[in-house]
Each structure stands twice: as C-alpha cells, then as structure tokens.
Amino acid sequence: MIVGIPKEIKNNESRVGMTPAGVFALVKNNHTVYVQSTAGEGSGFFDEDYLEVGAEILPTIEDVYAKSEMIVKVKEPIASEYPLIKENQIVFTYFHFASSEPLTKAMIESKSICIAYETVEDSEGTLPLLTPMSEVAGRMSIQQGAKYLEKPVKGRGILLGGVPGVTPGKVLILGAGVVGVQAAKMAAGLGAHVTILDINMKRLRYVNDVLPNHVITGFSSEYSIRQHIKTHDLIVGGVLVKGGKAPKLITKDMLKEMRPGTVVVDVAVDQGGCFETTKATTHEEPTYIIDDVVHYCVANMPGAVPYTSTMALTNVTLSYILKLANLGWEKACETDESLAKGLNIVKGEITYKELEGIFE
C-alpha cells in the first residue's frame, strides 16, 4: 500500500502522524511511504531521519494526498484539505466528527474511508488509540491550570501546592476516566487538594484504591457540582461520551457561583466541550474570560508537547496501520473488531451509530 504522512497544518500543531520507527516498520513490510517535507520537524524528526528508513520525501501536501492510498495523520483535516481527499482513500486520524458538522459533511462528500482513532475500541471497552493523548492532556490540564491560576494571567493568584502554613489550592475534576485519573495524579503530586467526581462507582473505587488519600472521590450530580465549584480554584472537565458530544456539566449561570480568577480547563473540547461556555482555542491564544472565570479550551493540548505525544501515538497506532496496509481496510476490519469500530464514514455513508442523525 502507498501510505502518506502529510504535515499537520492546524494552528500550532507540531505533532506528526508517524515516527521514523513506524515508517521503518511499514517499509520493511514492503509498503511505500511518502512523507511531506518538514512534516516531522516540530516533533524533532527530520527529513533525513525518514529518508534513512526508506521513506520518500514529497515537497507539498497536495503531492502526498494525490499519491497515497492511505493518509495517516494526527488531527482531523481542516477546510483546505477537504478537496485533497479522494474517493476510496483511507484517512486514519483523530476526527471527532460530533463536534464539527462541516467536517462530517465534507468527508461524506469525499466518499473516502474515514477511520477515527478515538472510536477504535478493544474487547474491554477501552479506547486504545485515544488513551495516550488523554494521558498527555490529563497531565497537561494541571500543568496549564497551575500556570493560569497566576495573577498576571488573571487567575486567583494561587500556588496549587501551597506552602507550609498556607492551604494548598483546590482542584475539582469532572470524570474519572483516563483524563481524570491522570489529572488527579498530577494535581496530587503537586500537593493540591483534589476532588474527582463521576457517576461510575467502579471507576471511583479504582481511583480510591490507586491514588493518594488526599484525592477525594464523590458521586457526580448537578447538585454536587454546584456545591463544589464555589470553593475550588481549578476545574478540569474530562468527561467522554464515545464518539458523541460531551454533556454540558457546567452551565453559564454556574460561572457566577465561582470565585473571580477560577480557572476551568475543558479537555473535552474536541467533543464539543463539557462546559456550556466552551469555545475551542489554540495554543496561540489559549484562554478567554467570561464572568471573571479563566477558560482554557485548547483543542489540541498534546500538540504543545509534540515529541512526547508523537512517540506515544505511534506506539499504539502502528499495529493498526500495519494491519490496514497489509490487508486493506475491508479485510482488516473484518478480522479486527476493534478496528471495525473505528469506521465512522465509509464511501459517503455514516457507519458509526453515535453519529447517525447528529446534525439533522
């Protein structure tokens, strides 16, 4: 198969779809790999690194799309890429269709094969291709939240870990999934007071077992959220509905219950966000303020740490990429139920049930 790796062109996105190690594995399996020139530089991988493992370097994104049977990316295609995607071309990337009607309609019109990283699901119900980026984003949510609690950037002026004689900052985490657990781990490591809410008691028991004693678990409800937001300094939204839109757990009226300078970080922004006031931002302009509450809603948080993120992503995507390249998408999905669940749009038809009727 001819596999293409274009350069990511979303704002401040420095990740790349595959490391040289991944390309080496594809070439060893007798596949042709085209890499757009400088595609990997943001992640610390240079054209020479790809050439050494057998890739061919192409000068433009148009060349990569035109010559490739399968496109391997990180982020969803943006508007300028829509016309480049061909009928029957496999596009394997994060799509997050539920948050973008234009993207969904464009991919339907392209009649391509859209396989979404975020809906590939294993037999245990986990999302193996979403997990590493959720781990990165969960940890970064605390790193960024701590920064934006500083007074010069309009935060409350709180040091999350406190100091001897001064109470540490309070972190509220909505959702005890991968994002929530990683956020709680980082916040607890800094010495913050951490509360994590979820409606899944099994997950709360897990959190209670594996995280330090100063991480408090609670059952999530509108009432409990309204009570907690009054006293917490940093609020992290990490709620996931597989393939669907995130629920709006914090409404606009709740902002008035928060103290001025409270920071909210919406890690669910790719799926529409779990705060009513969420609007996607970029690393260039990551925050905005509504009712004196600082919102951090960057849609590609892991893009800020591209080396770590690209390595972590290729670790989990490579086996699926090899399967698609070796067998073709139809046979690969027939023989691998996990991969089959990644099929979102096939030749103009929506095949992922959570997307059906979502924009009607």
Side-chain angles (χ1 to χ4, degrees), residues 5-313:
I5 303 168
K7 185 172 183 175
E8 298 294 325
I9 52 177
K10 194 164 186 173
N11 182 289
N12 276 277
E13 180 52 72
S14 299
R15 289 173 289 180
V16 64
M18 195 178 300
T19 63
V23 172
F24 178 83
L26 278 170
V27 172
K28 194 173 180 181
N29 277 264
N30 299 314
H31 302 295
T32 299
V33 182
Y34 291 122
V35 179
Q36 186 182 345
S37 181
T38 71
E41 282 190 1
S43 296
F45 307 117
F46 299 93
D47 289 354
E48 305 80 63
D49 300 322
Y50 289 106
L51 286 167
E52 281 180 11
V53 295
E56 295 182 45
I57 304 297
L58 295 179
T60 69
I61 193 168
E62 290 82 4
D63 290 332
V64 173
Y65 274 98
K67 294 188 175 186
S68 303
E69 297 169 287
M70 175 163 66
I71 296 294
V72 175
K73 282 174 50 60
V74 181
K75 292 302 291 179
E76 74 284 351
I78 64 172
S80 62
E81 292 173 275
Y82 296 168
L84 305 180
I85 297 169
K86 303 178 296 186
E87 186 172 347
N88 294 322
Q89 191 170 47
I90 303 165
V91 185
F92 196 27
T93 189
Y94 290 114
F95 275 107
H96 299 290
F97 282 119
S99 64
S100 176
E101 184 175 359
L103 172 67
T104 305
K105 290 187 172 177
M107 293 304 98
I108 289 171
E109 289 172 12
S110 75
K111 292 184 165 53
S112 59
I113 315 301
C114 300
I115 307 177
Y117 291 159
E118 72 273 9
T119 66
V120 172
E121 184 178 335
D122 63 22
S123 58
E124 297 172 354
T126 61
L127 306 171
L129 307 190
L130 189 61
T131 295
M133 294 306 97
S134 295
E135 290 170 336
V136 171
R139 294 183 177 209
M140 279 190 69
S141 69
I142 302 303
Q143 189 169 299
Q144 297 301 318
K147 172 184 173 59
Y148 286 99
L149 276 170
E150 295 172 8
K151 201 66 179 177
V153 283
K154 310 300 183 185
R156 290 198 67 231
I158 299 285
L159 182 65
L160 268 188
V163 291
V166 180
T167 305
K170 299 182 76 174
V171 178
L172 175 65
I173 298 168
L174 305 178
V178 175
V179 167
V181 169
Q182 296 301 320
K185 186 181 294 186
M186 288 291 279
L190 286 172
H193 177 286
V194 185
T195 301
I196 184 165
L197 303 180
D198 204 299
I199 57 173
N200 184 332
M201 286 304 302
K202 186 176 180 181
R203 289 299 297 176
L204 292 177
R205 290 188 182 99
Y206 171 77
V207 169
N208 196 64
D209 286 343
V210 301
L211 292 180
N213 289 335
H214 64 286
V215 175
I216 307 301
T217 59
F219 191 81
S220 185
S221 66
E222 182 180 342
Y223 179 82
S224 65
I225 292 171
R226 285 184 179 274
Q227 294 304 113
H228 282 94
I229 60 174
K230 297 173 183 177
T231 58
H232 284 69
D233 307 300
L234 169 60
I235 300 166
V236 175
V239 178
L240 174 71
V241 175
K242 293 175 184 176
K245 284 190 174 182
K248 305 297 184 189
L249 299 182
I250 291 185
T251 55
K252 189 177 189 305
D253 70 288
M254 292 185 187
L255 300 186
K256 293 180 173 59
E257 300 294 317
M258 300 178 192
R259 294 173 294 191
T262 297
V263 175
V264 296
V265 178
D266 197 343
V267 186
V269 60
D270 269 335
Q271 296 292 111
C274 56
F275 308 147
E276 189 179 14
T277 48
T278 289
K279 58 182 180 182
T281 61
T282 67
H283 290 294
E284 201 166 68
E285 294 183 34
T287 63
Y288 57 92
I289 297 173
I290 298 177
D291 292 337
D292 295 322
V293 173
V294 180
H295 291 61
Y296 179 98
C297 304
V298 175
N300 62 329
M301 288 175 65
V305 286
Y307 176 79
T308 299
S309 298
T310 296
M311 293 287 283
L313 185 59

Side-chain angles (χ1 to χ4, degrees), residues 1 31 322-332 335:
M1 186 177 282
H31 302 295
L322 281 169
K323 190 168 286 188
L324 288 165
N326 290 339
L327 301 177
W329 75 269
E330 289 177 286
K331 192 169 182 183
T335 57

